[in-house]
Amino acid sequence: MGSSEWFVSGSSSDWHPSIVVNGVGATGPSPTGETFGTWMTVDATNNINLQLRAIGGDGTADSAGLGAGIAVGPASATALTNQTFNGNRAGDYSYISLYPGPVGGCQANEFAILEGEVAHDLTHWGTRLGIVKHC
């Protein structure tokens, strides 16, 4: 993934990308298969507080896609100030992993489980969890 490929808007700050790839649909010209990604974002200009985002590609172009992806749950209720909540750092991680078994009609590794750090208010932290799939 290169700089400025995953972003919510021209004024957003986007960081801590995580990516995982399976072999479903892999071919000679496109050997990586389906691709899943997640990252943290905030866009003060457009009143979007800290948020976890997800994106994916079907494996036809060795790409997880470009742009804003989808929101994983609502944004944090509290706005960021210099990337902190009450003096504590925020959005310090995102993580994504493939689910190794078949689920709900999907092949093994077509579900990705992701998480990222959010804040509910100035003193309560949480982890946003989500599942994305390509089937």
Side-chain angles (χ1 to χ4, degrees):
M1 186 185 92
S3 175
S4 300
E5 290 186 29
W6 296 349
F7 56 93
V8 175
S9 73
S11 59
S12 64
S13 294
D14 304 273
W15 67 96
H16 289 306
S18 299
I19 193 167
V20 67
V21 177
N22 66 27
V24 177
T27 65
S30 186
T32 60
E34 298 168 334
T35 307
F36 302 88
T38 188
W39 75 99
M40 305 304 300
T41 188
V42 65
D43 186 353
T45 301
N46 291 303
N47 296 315
I48 298 173
N49 294 337
L50 182 63
Q51 187 174 61
L52 179 65
R53 306 288 295 189
I55 199 163
D58 64 7
T60 58
D62 287 340
S63 172
L66 301 173
I70 60 170
V72 179
S76 293
T78 305
L80 276 175
T81 304
N82 298 323
Q83 291 192 331
T84 66
F85 286 102
N86 202 25
N88 298 304
R89 291 177 51 93
D92 279 342
Y93 66 86
S94 73
Y95 173 80
I96 192 163
S97 180
L98 296 175
Y99 188 77
V103 177
C106 294
Q107 299 178 49
N109 299 317
E110 282 195 302
F111 261 67
I113 301 164
L114 54 100
E115 65 180 335
E117 175 188 42
V118 295
H120 301 287
D121 55 42
L122 292 176
T123 57
H124 295 93
W125 293 86
T127 299
R128 182 84 62 221
L129 299 172
I131 297 174
V132 291
K133 64 181 182 172
H134 277 297
C135 55

